Amino acid sequence: MDSVYKNPAEPIEARIKNLLSLMTLKEKIGQMTQIERSVATPSAIKDFTIGSVFCAPPNSVTSEKEVSSDWADMIDGFQKLALESRLGIPIIYGTDAVHGNNNVYGTTIFPHNVALGATRDAELIQRIGAATSLELRASGIHYTFAPCVAVCKDPRWGRCYESYSENTEIVRKMTSFVSGLQGQPPDNHPRGYPFVAGRNKIIACAKHFVGDGGTEKGVNEGNTILSYEDLEKIHMAPYVDCIAQGVSTIMVSYSSWNGVKLHGHHFLINEILKEKLGFKGFVISDWEGIDELCQPYGSDYRYCISTAINAGIDMVMVPFRCEKFMEELTSLVQSGEVPIVRIDDAVERILRVKFIAELFEFPLTDRSLLDTVGCKIHRDLAREAVRKSLVLLKNGKDPSKPFIPLNKKAKRILVSGTHANDIGYQCGGWTCTKYGSSGQITIGTTILDAVKEAVGHETEVIYEQYPSTNFIESNEFSFAIVAIGEAPYAECGGDNKELVIPFNGPKIINIVADKIPTLVILISGRPLVLEQSLLEKMEALVAAWLPGTEGQGITDVVFGDHDFKGKLPMTWFRSVEHLDQHVEGVNSCDPLFPLGYGLTCNKENSYD
């Protein structure tokens, strides 16, 4: 009887019941604990039966280039320790792989979600999920904290680029990423039950439950003020689609709903998510998310734990003080403040996901998958995603004389701007580091490299990041390509009340476009302020979002090998002041470009 849980031929629920009956309280609470890899000592994993380990992306680029095989070695080392514990329960190793396996050098970095929302292509997003799952599993990783299915209502939000759209229906369509990561469940799959189709698929996590994209003025971790009916209609609807696809885990938001922190929200987690929506996977906290239930931050840790666990959180991202967490939760159970049935429910959910993901049968990395990392098939897929995500906002000062497609056989082209030759800027945040970085931080093709490859041998391409008027006047250019945009950022570091183009971007445009016909490529995680006078100077404007490593996807389109397909996933505002006046579904503020806007080279404009 004791070996039922080890037998893959037994029903999953029977295996769960059997294993749970063998576990001590300490082992159960260990399964509810997720720790950061830097504190994942042999003692922590074996003696405390830790349920999950995760990696926090570094805050800065290091000289060490950890490739996928290095990660597989590290994670397999943790896993072997877990298998040596009394019951041999494998760990789940998690990471923030939000646009490819973005913490590992040399992987394929796909466009961020805001760009994918511009494609409106659910099948493409599913293929990206499938490619991401292979590159993750090649690195030994079992679990990604993705996708973010927030409905971003304000581009001032620092996580705007993690949202597919301001429009709920577009976000719902893009949840196909879940079935790409985990596999497509069969038609008779039980409602709310997690699904992972075998050892080469990844445990997904829909986040951040719920309303994180609707906070006042787009403040990260802020307060979303809405009726329950509007919260359900606007922000909760994508979770229903994720659950229908068998999403295995859901992460709770740092934000509040009508002043109540989500990490302690019994009604939304237990009564709505678990009971009404029937979610049978596990609910995970965000990084030290339960600590925010107390002010000063984490001051009454015992209260934080009891409130969060009783509210329905199953696994807690501690990440550094697991002993303190486990000690306090043990005491809370012994005192009756946290019922043992709540602990058993949490552990059942965690074990369910582990059994479904076949971690007991295949706990270690399949090294044959290493050939998929950064492979041509995946890079071609990312290139396709870039092509389909580009939104053409302007094409020619005179509508009868389109500027794009550009001439590949031009005599001399000027390429300039801060973002023309910078992989780090192309990829944005959550790339090699949490906040992203500039420079050649991973393998990829910059816009400059792509232009040089796209044009004919007789065309001279001159790169000058900050060209002067004298430099321009001393050369005879056919046209210019100016790539400007935002520096990488993440979370609160990206909150922005002004949304102006940084790095003197407008000045570069003015200098260049005053003398040369100019295409401007804007690299950003959201719409930014575009003054009318600036817009009038340029011949053409492309919103390229944060395209990732495959810059050739941009030149594929601007030089005419493919037409533009992208449609705005967000309304492009005229001024920041207008953002406070936006009314759902009504362009009452006369936007610069409305939701769904996008020109093509074959017709004047096209709306979806």
Side-chain angles (χ1 to χ4, degrees):
M1 180 64 182
D2 289 355
S3 62
V4 168
Y5 78 93
K6 296 180 180 179
N7 184 357
E10 293 286 343
I12 285 176
E13 293 303 312
R15 298 175 75 185
I16 295 169
K17 183 178 180 180
N18 172 240
L19 180 52
L20 192 68
S21 72
L22 302 174
M23 296 173 72
T24 64
L25 177 60
K26 179 182 178 182
E27 288 167 331
K28 291 175 181 179
I29 290 175
Q31 286 300 298
M32 297 172 65
T33 308
Q34 185 182 65
I35 61 174
E36 211 279 326
R37 63 173 178 169
S38 62
V39 295
T41 62
S43 174
I45 295 175
K46 289 173 62 177
D47 298 342
F48 291 101
T49 323
I50 292 298
S52 182
V53 178
F54 76 106
C55 61
N59 290 330
S60 60
V61 177
T62 63
S63 59
E64 296 181 12
K65 303 294 186 184
E66 290 183 322
V67 297
S68 294
S69 59
D70 297 325
W71 280 68
D73 291 342
M74 173 188 68
I75 296 168
D76 281 356
F78 292 145
Q79 192 69 284
K80 288 172 183 176
L81 291 170
L83 298 176
E84 291 172 5
S85 63
R86 184 177 77 89
L87 295 171
I89 304 173
I91 61 162
I92 297 174
Y93 193 96
T95 189
D96 283 286
V98 297
H99 61 145
N101 190 8
N102 45 255
N103 292 319
V104 180
Y105 182 81
T107 60
T108 309
I109 306 299
F110 294 93
H112 268 298
N113 285 358
V114 68
L116 299 183
T119 72
R120 309 293 202 273
D121 191 334
E123 189 268 340
L124 170 69
I125 274 61
Q126 186 174 27
R127 285 189 283 135
I128 290 172
T132 299
S133 71
L134 290 174
E135 296 206 18
L136 284 165
R137 291 309 295 257
S139 301
I141 297 165
H142 319 110
Y143 179 25
T144 175
F145 309 125
C148 176
V149 293
V151 179
C152 178
K153 290 300 184 181
D154 195 317
R156 290 173 289 192
W157 186 33
R159 304 190 83 143
C160 177
Y161 63 80
E162 296 186 52
S163 169
Y164 293 109
S165 178
E166 70 179 36
N167 178 276
T168 302
E169 292 309 307
I170 294 172
V171 176
R172 293 184 69 180
K173 188 175 183 180
M174 299 297 100
T175 61
S176 59
F177 191 71
V178 170
S179 57
L181 290 171
Q182 296 190 158
Q184 185 72 47
D187 292 340
N188 62 350
H189 188 71
R191 176 177 176 266
Y193 207 77
F195 178 82
V196 182
R199 62 188 298 191
N200 293 337
K201 289 296 182 179
I202 283 290
I203 298 164
C205 178
K207 66 181 188 184
H208 308 85
F209 190 81
V210 59
D212 51 331
T215 60
E216 286 188 285
K217 298 183 185 296
V219 173
N220 191 50
E221 304 179 18
N223 187 29
T224 298
I225 301 175
L226 279 178
S227 67
Y228 173 75
E229 290 72 23
D230 283 342
L231 184 75
E232 184 178 50
K233 179 179 69 174
I234 298 168
H235 297 283
M236 201 176 294
Y239 290 92
V240 177
D241 297 276
C242 291
I243 291 168
Q245 293 174 69
V247 73
S248 296
T249 76
I250 289 176
M251 181 181 287
V252 178
S253 177
Y254 283 124
S255 60
S256 302
W257 175 50
N258 294 334
V260 180
K261 286 281 187 183
L262 267 298
H263 272 77
H265 215 296
H266 184 279
F267 170 71
L268 288 177
I269 299 174
N270 261 328
E271 297 180 41
I272 300 301
L273 178 59
K274 290 184 174 181
E275 294 177 16
K276 181 178 178 180
L277 300 184
F279 177 60
K280 300 295 191 297
F282 69 79
V283 176
I284 187 169
S285 81
D286 209 331
W287 171 288
E288 293 183 338
I290 69 169
D291 298 54
E292 297 201 355
L293 295 174
C294 300
Q295 296 300 327
Y297 183 82
S299 55
D300 186 349
Y301 198 42
R302 185 180 178 89
Y303 169 80
C304 293
I305 295 169
S306 64
T307 301
I309 301 300
N310 284 330
I313 292 178
D314 304 308
M315 182 179 283
V316 177
M317 196 182 287
V318 178
F320 299 120
R321 48 177 178 173
C322 70
E323 291 187 44
K324 178 67 172 175
F325 169 77
M326 294 181 68
E327 177 186 312
E328 292 286 6
L329 183 51
T330 300
S331 174
L332 286 164
V333 175
Q334 291 171 341
S335 69
E337 293 169 78
V338 174
I340 188 63
V341 292
R342 172 76 271 275
I343 299 297
D344 287 348
D345 171 61
V347 178
E348 284 177 8
R349 291 168 176 274
I350 293 163
L351 295 178
R352 182 175 294 123
V353 171
K354 290 186 175 186
F355 281 123
I356 288 170
E358 299 183 5
L359 290 181
F360 284 81
E361 289 71 52
F362 304 105
L364 303 178
T365 308
D366 179 355
R367 304 296 171 120
S368 70
L369 297 176
L370 285 168
D371 289 341
T372 69
V373 177
C375 67
K376 186 177 186 302
I377 292 174
H378 290 176
R379 292 191 182 275
D380 285 347
L381 175 60
R383 183 172 174 174
E384 177 189 349
V386 175
R387 285 199 302 265
K388 291 180 175 179
S389 69
L390 302 178
V391 180
L392 181 59
L393 297 174
K394 180 180 180 181
N395 190 16
K397 294 178 181 177
D398 182 346
S400 66
K401 298 177 181 178
F403 186 63
I404 294 176
L406 303 176
N407 182 7
K408 290 183 180 181
K409 298 182 179 180
K411 182 179 178 180
R412 185 179 293 121
I413 302 171
L414 172 64
V415 178
S416 67
T418 49
H419 290 57
N421 192 33
D422 197 306
I423 282 291
Y425 281 175
Q426 275 180 211
C427 293
W430 299 106
T431 312
C432 295
T433 69
K434 177 177 178 178
Y435 300 102
S437 181
S438 63
Q440 195 70 29
I441 60 174
T442 191
I443 298 170
T445 303
T446 67
I447 294 170
L448 175 62
D449 292 335
V451 170
K452 289 179 176 178
E453 186 168 328
V455 299
H457 296 298
E458 297 179 2
T459 299
E460 183 180 6
V461 178
I462 296 178
Y463 171 62
E464 188 75 12
Q465 187 176 29
Y466 296 105
S468 65
T469 300
N470 288 337
F471 172 82
I472 293 170
E473 290 178 342
S474 64
N475 289 277
E476 187 177 333
F477 293 105
S478 302
F479 57 84
I481 298 173
V482 175
I484 55 165
E486 296 184 291
Y489 53 83
E491 297 182 342
C492 295
D495 281 3
N496 189 326
K497 296 178 181 179
E498 298 178 344
L499 296 179
V500 297
I501 301 171
F503 303 122
N504 290 318
K507 182 178 180 181
I508 298 172
I509 295 171
N510 276 314
I511 290 172
V512 176
D514 194 49
K515 302 292 183 180
I516 315 170
T518 299
L519 160 64
V520 174
I521 298 173
L522 185 59
I523 305 293
S524 68
R526 52 197 163 190
L528 299 175
V529 173
L530 289 169
E531 298 290 348
Q532 190 63 37
S533 59
L534 192 69
L535 194 58
E536 289 172 359
K537 278 208 169 184
M538 60 185 79
E539 283 283 350
L541 173 62
V542 172
W545 314 109
L546 298 170
T549 51
E550 308 312 304
Q552 289 167 299
I554 295 174
T555 53
D556 284 344
V557 179
V558 299
F559 284 102
D561 292 330
H562 296 264
D563 201 356
F564 287 86
K565 293 180 180 290
K567 308 300 174 190
L568 283 181
M570 301 193 72
T571 302
W572 206 293
F573 57 90
R574 287 190 183 273
S575 72
V576 171
E577 290 72 28
H578 287 166
L579 294 173
D580 292 327
Q581 304 167 32
H582 178 72
V583 179
E584 174 69 20
V586 179
N587 291 317
S588 58
C589 299
D590 183 28
L592 190 61
F593 303 106
L595 173 73
Y597 182 87
L599 303 175
T600 71
C601 293
N602 293 328
K603 52 188 176 180
E604 289 186 6
N605 59 55
S606 174
Y607 296 88
D608 64 352

